[in-house]
């Protein structure tokens, strides 16, 4: 068996039966994206991921990217795999046909990206960053800039980066110091010269592609202080000539790469701009609006990182499951002649179910949000677009924060299933935990996501979207109660208690935001977790309803995989009992917990 | 020069095959299916012949249930120009498939028919040979190298004890072995293009072929479970056991 097998059955279940592929195929421009085409794409990408990307994951972790005198070398096999990846057209999947892409919707790019991340998270970071840079240029790049850079970037022949962080400017980008000075050298057309240092630049330097296109946040000389004085620039490693060929080496250098806890194969670079006469850069959009542009892209970037949580959980689950089936240890607690595979032990079973249930819940939530992103972008009706955009905006911090936090937890359980062997690097289980650890940090820490959720997404709009979401979940509860099936009734009751906890907290937060903002922020992360748990439960409950209907149809002689649907209901029930049941405790933390958080004066620490 | 490539839909090579509870055959419901890997190698070779300018058109053919269209779509994504499905829900045995392929070949007039040496589900290794005989064509089986030169094709065959190279007059039937090539990964643009390529569906009756099985399957059962091994203390005991218990040496 391969090391990683794409979970195509569950993916297509979510796409076809939970999201409903026809709701996407009806959108203008998606007419050809039919269910059978999507399945074929998933099959082929799944094959590529498990046969090419997955085998490089562990060796890539061991070897890591290396740095020597300004040059970065990725681990053995990465360059060949990257070439195969772009030749396969995978980099171009979701980008417009105008620049050489296939223009496929997010409901397709999301599972495809999940596979690449599961197979090899370090590898998948390179196209993730290129994608972010492409989105920025599509949104705000001048026509000339788009023509110059986009075709090569969409193809993947050139990769992209995001240069935001500086040593003194991490979560707070207002503190950026990198300077951009207007310059007049006729050789380069309308341009600026950039000077400064950027850190934590993922794939800032590497040997996978012939050119690297850096998107850089910097200040122009007359720029106002703070966030309103930051502009966005495009700085290519090699200047691109008018005819599209590569010209001079630009004044941007990689000074070193970091030694990290995980994602060893992904080079995290320190970048120096303008050590000589300044790095040639071109303005994207207008001056002083850089941060605003970054925020437009932020949804996509945070969504993509949230997907890493799903991907790493899936990989950790597959590894743990394989081990639990083959590892023979101790007799069955209820009695057996011989020692049994550890999957028969109830506690191991509980851990595996926890991994399976969380992974499926996160995947369902992530894909449902992906579909809403497609509808918000493409639906002909304005109200429909607005409705879905509001849902997306509300869910992004949840998908980012909850999926990545849960990803860490699941990778950790994966190690636990292995016992002592999980602590030994050889099994590979430990790598998933080390790799997962970054996902709650970059693109905004969980704390930042939670602040965004309680502030911008909840309190600022008076909880309007939260109420819509809660109303939708209530309707699912009614359906579950009316199904007349004991498992569905139990799921419905558990979901009901979770939703009530969520509603209570949302009301408390909107009511107290102005009066006691510290108290609200003290409970922001628990609230984010609560929202994730309930929304995940909402999707599992919907999945159980779909599965029940399908099983009834199969019983009446219809086609279908009864074992899959039965497992879906069992998994949803586990989720209701073991995960949704935490909602009440989290409610108490949110509404009461602040007094303890702020109880000590600073001097008492 | 037209090349015809028959492809079979089989249980995926990663799936652990199970016998149906009633012992009538192998369980295929809700099991992942894919293209027979040997046929994939045949198709890859055909695509390479086209890329080298030797072949002008590649036609993929499958015989079987409607879902075989998925396998044909994969064939189109790998590089076939069009596809033909001879659709039937009936059990197809190698002779019936060979006859159906003959009927299609007579319609299409290919110069080369390239197929897998066997399918990984029934391991029959008969269809190619039967097809060549029925057509009265030359055949080169178990190919590990294929060189087309004018009206001849040189086929290097993997045989017991080594390699044998034969020169065949075209048209010819070639069945391929594992080492012929390494199939490419399907690219996304080609999946998208495959959707628009023609796929024709024919009925066995329309081809005038009687597909009635000639062999009746009496019973299908799982191979016996392997017994646990034993550790032997030394080579002498091993030789003894091989001689007297296993009786594999004298």
């Amino acid at each position: 068996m391969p090391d990683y097998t794409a979970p195509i059955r569950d993916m297509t279940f979510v796409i076809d039966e939970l999201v409903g592929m026809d709701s996407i195929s009806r959108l203008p421009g998606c007419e050809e994206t039919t269910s059978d085409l999507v399945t074929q794409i998933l099959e082929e990408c799944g094959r590529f991921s498990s046969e090419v990307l997955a085998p490089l994951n562990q060796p890539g972790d061991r070897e890591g990217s290396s740095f020597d005198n300004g040059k970065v070398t990725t681990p053995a096999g990465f360059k060949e795999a990257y070439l195969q990846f772009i030749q396969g057209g995978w980099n171009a999947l979701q980008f417009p046909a105008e620049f050489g892409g296939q223009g496929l919707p997010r409901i397709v790019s999301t599972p495809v990206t999940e596979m690449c991340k599961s197979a090899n998270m370090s590898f998948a970071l390179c196209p993730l960053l290129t994608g972010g840079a492409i989105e920025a240029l599509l949104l705000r790049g001048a026509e000339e800039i788009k023509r110059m850079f986009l075709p090569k970037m969409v193809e993947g022949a050139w990769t992209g980066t995001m240069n935001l962080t500086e040593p003194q400017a991490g979560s707070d980008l207002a503190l950026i110091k990198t300077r951009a000075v207007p310059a007049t050298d006729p050789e380069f057309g309308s341009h600026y010269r950039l000077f400064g240092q950027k850190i934590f630049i993922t794939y800032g330097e590497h040997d996978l592609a012939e050119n690297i296109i850096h998107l850089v946040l910097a200040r122009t000389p007359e720029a106002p202080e703070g966030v309103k004085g930051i502009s966005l620039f495009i700085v290519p490693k090699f200047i691109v000539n008018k005819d599209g060929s590569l010209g001079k080496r630009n004044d941007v250098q990689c000074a070193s790469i970091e030694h990290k806890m995980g994602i060893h194969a992904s080079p995290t670079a320190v970048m120096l701009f303008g050590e000589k006469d300044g790095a040639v850069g071109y303005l994207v959009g207008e001056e002083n609006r850089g941060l605003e542009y970054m925020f437009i892209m932020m949804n996509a970037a945070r969504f993509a990182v949230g997907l890493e949580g799903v991907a790493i959980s899936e990989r950790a689950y597959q590894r743990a499951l394989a081990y639990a089936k083959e590892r023979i240890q101790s007799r069955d607690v209820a009695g057996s002649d011989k020692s049994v595979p550890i999957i028969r032990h109830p506690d191991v079973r509980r851990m595996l179910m926890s991994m399976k249930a969380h992974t499926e819940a996160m995947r369902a939530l992530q894909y449902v949000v992906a579909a809403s992103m497609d509808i918000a972008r493409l639906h002909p009706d304005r109200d429909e677009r607005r409705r879905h955009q509001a849902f997306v905006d509300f869910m992004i911090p949840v998908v980012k924060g909850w999926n990545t936090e849960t990803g860490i937890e699941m990778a950790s359980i994966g190690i636990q299933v292995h016992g002592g062997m999980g602590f030994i690097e050889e099994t590979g289980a430990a790598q998933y935990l080390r790799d997962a650890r970054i996902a709650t940090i970059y693109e905004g820490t969980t704390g930042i996501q939670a602040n965004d959720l309680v502030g911008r997404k909840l309190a600022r709009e008076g909880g309007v979207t939260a109420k819509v979401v809660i109303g939708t979940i209530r309707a699912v509860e009614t359906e579950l109660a009316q199904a007349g099936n004991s498992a569905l009734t139990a799921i419905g009751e558990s979901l009901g208690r979770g939703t009530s906890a969520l509603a209570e907290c949302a009301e408390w937060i909107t009511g107290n935001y102005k009066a006691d903002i510290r108290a609200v922020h003290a409970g922001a992360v628990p609230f984010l977790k609560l929202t994730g748990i309930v929304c995940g439960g909402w999707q599992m409950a919907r999945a159980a309803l779909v599965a029940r209907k399908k099983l009834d149809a199969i019983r009446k002689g219809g086609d279908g995989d009864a074992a899959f649907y039965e497992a879906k209901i069992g998994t949803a029930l586990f989720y209701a009992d073991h995960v949704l049941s935490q909602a009440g405790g989290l409610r108490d933390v949110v509404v009461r917990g602040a007094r303890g958080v702020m109880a000590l004066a600073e001097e008492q620490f | 020069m037209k090349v015809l490539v028959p492809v079979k839909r089989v249980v995926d090579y990663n799936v652990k095959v199970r016998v149906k509870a009633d012992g009538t055959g192998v369980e295929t419901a809700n099991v992942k299916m894919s293209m027979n890997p040997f046929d994939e190698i045949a198709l890859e070779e055909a695509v390479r012949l086209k890329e080298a300018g030797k072949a002008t058109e590649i036609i993929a053919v499958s015989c079987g249930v409607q879902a075989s269209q998925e396998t044909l779509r994969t064939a189109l994504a790998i590089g076939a120009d069009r596809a033909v499905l001879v659709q039937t829900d009936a059990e197809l045995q190698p002779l019936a498939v060979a006859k159906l392929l003959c009927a299609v070949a007579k319609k299409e007039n290919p110069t080369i028919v390239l197929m897998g040496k066997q399918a990984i589900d029934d391991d029959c290794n008969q269809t190619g040979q039967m097809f060549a005989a029925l057509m009265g064509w030359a055949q080169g089986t178990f190919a590990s190298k294929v060189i087309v030169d004018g009206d001849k094709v040189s086929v290097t065959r993997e045989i017991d004890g080594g390699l044998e190279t034969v020169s065949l007059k075209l048209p010819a039937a070639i069945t391929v072995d594992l080492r012929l090539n390494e199939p490419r990964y399907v690219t996304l643009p080609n999946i998208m293009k495959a959707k628009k390529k023609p796929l024709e569906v024919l009925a066995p009756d329309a081809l005038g072929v009687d597909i009635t099985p000639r062999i009746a399957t009496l019973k299908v059962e799982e191979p016996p479970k392997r017994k646990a091994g034993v550790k032997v203390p030394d080579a002498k005991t091993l030789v003894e056991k091989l001689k007297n218990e296993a009786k594999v040496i004298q």
Side-chain angles (χ1 to χ4, degrees), chain A residues 396-414:
Chain A
I396 288 289
V398 180
V399 160
K400 199 300 187 172
W402 182 61
N403 286 5
T404 57
E405 290 286 345
T406 310
I408 294 175
E409 213 181 305
M410 296 307 121
S412 179
I413 296 176

Side-chain angles (χ1 to χ4, degrees), chain A residues 530-542:
Chain A
L530 170 64
T531 314
I533 282 174
V534 174
C535 290
W538 164 31
Q539 299 310 327
M540 288 308 277
R542 288 183 61 214

Side-chain angles (χ1 to χ4, degrees), chain A residues 97-363:
Chain A
E98 190 190 348
F99 299 106
Q102 296 294 344
L104 287 166
R106 233 170 239 287
I107 196 64
V108 185
S109 67
T110 303
V112 162
T113 312
E114 184 199 313
M115 290 177 189
C116 298
K117 287 175 193 288
S118 274
N120 196 326
M121 181 167 149
S122 283
F123 178 93
L125 276 163
C126 186
L128 171 85
L129 271 297
T130 307
I134 291 171
E135 301 274 355
L137 294 182
L138 282 172
L139 279 168
R140 291 293 180 267
E143 277 312 307
E144 196 190 338
I145 295 274
K146 284 189 192 169
R147 276 198 305 276
M148 186 184 280
F149 294 104
L150 281 179
K152 287 280 190 184
M153 292 174 77
V154 166
E155 184 197 337
W158 299 349
T159 68
T161 71
M162 306 297 261
N163 287 247
L164 280 63
T165 308
E166 295 178 12
Q168 76 292 346
S171 295
D172 188 359
L173 292 169
L175 305 174
I176 278 175
K177 279 187 192 156
T178 296
R179 293 180 298 126
V181 185
T184 51
D185 193 332
E187 195 185 338
F188 305 119
S190 167
H191 70 285
Y192 292 69
R193 292 276 184 177
L194 274 77
F195 304 88
Q197 191 198 86
K198 294 282 179 182
I199 61 166
F200 297 169
I201 308 310
T202 303
Y203 279 94
E205 177 61 37
H206 60 79
D207 57 351
L208 301 180
E210 57 179 13
N211 204 4
I212 302 174
I213 313 304
H214 303 286
L215 285 190
V216 187
L217 288 183
R219 287 182 186 286
T220 52
E222 307 299 324
E225 289 282 304
V227 291
K228 293 214 158 68
I230 296 170
S231 307
L232 182 63
F233 296 89
I234 185 163
V235 180
K237 176 177 168 184
F238 287 96
I239 308 275
V240 180
N241 296 324
K242 289 233 157 54
D243 63 357
S245 62
L246 295 186
K248 276 186 196 155
R249 181 73 165 80
N250 205 352
D251 185 9
V252 46
Q253 300 292 338
C254 171
S256 65
I257 59 172
E258 308 291 349
H259 298 276
K260 310 186 294 289
M261 176 181 180
I263 52 165
H264 289 161
S266 162
T268 304
V270 173
M271 301 301 296
L272 300 177
F273 294 84
E275 290 293 286
K276 295 177 204 131
D277 32 6
V280 173
Y282 311 97
L283 181 69
V284 178
E286 294 169 32
E287 273 189 20
N288 298 332
R289 296 185 65 181
L291 212 58
E292 179 191 326
Y293 303 155
M294 294 307 293
F295 266 99
I296 303 175
M297 294 160 34
M298 209 65 100
N299 268 358
R302 290 179 171 174
F303 177 86
V305 174
L307 191 55
E308 289 177 351
V310 184
I312 215 85
S313 296
E314 173 66 39
R315 183 83 190 258
Y317 169 64
Q318 289 191 15
R319 180 84 227 60
L321 178 63
Y323 187 79
K325 280 181 174 173
E326 74 192 21
R327 172 72 172 166
I328 301 198
Q329 202 77 177
S330 306
R331 291 170 197 218
D332 194 318
V333 282
S336 64
D337 299 341
K338 282 187 270 180
S339 297
V340 295
I342 60 170
I343 192 171
R344 303 225 184 118
H345 301 316
D347 183 58
V348 173
R349 195 68 78 85
R350 179 190 61 78
M351 290 192 276
L352 291 171
M353 280 306 286
S354 181
M355 295 178 87
K356 181 177 164 66
H358 277 99
T359 308
E360 290 179 11
M362 289 192 285
R363 175 177 297 122

Side-chain angles (χ1 to χ4, degrees), chain A residues 355-378:
Chain A
M355 295 178 87
K356 181 177 164 66
H358 277 99
T359 308
E360 290 179 11
M362 289 192 285
R363 175 177 297 122
L365 188 59
Q366 185 103 32
Y367 291 15
V368 163
V369 174
S372 275
M373 288 167 101
D374 287 328
I375 298 169
R377 188 168 60 93
L378 298 169

Side-chain angles (χ1 to χ4, degrees), chain A residues 1-2 32 34 36-37 40-41 43-44 47-48 51-52 84 87-90 93 102 104 560-562, chain B residues 13-15 30 32-33 40 70 73-75 77 183-192 194-196:
Chain A
M1 279 298 278
E32 286 176 22
T34 51
D36 53 341
L37 176 75
Q40 201 187 356
I41 291 173
E43 296 273 359
E44 296 303 338
R47 190 170 175 179
F48 178 76
E51 291 177 14
V52 177
Q84 278 184 287
Q87 282 172 347
W90 300 112
L93 190 136
Q102 296 294 344
L104 287 166
D561 185 350
Chain B
Y13 68 96
N14 280 314
V15 171
N30 304 315
K32 181 172 158 52
M33 307 291 279
E40 218 182 316
E70 289 166 20
R73 285 283 167 216
T74 306
R184 67 194 62 192
Y185 288 101
V186 177
T187 69
L188 179 63
N190 285 344
I191 297 173
M192 305 298 282
K195 227 177 122 69
K196 298 196 174 74

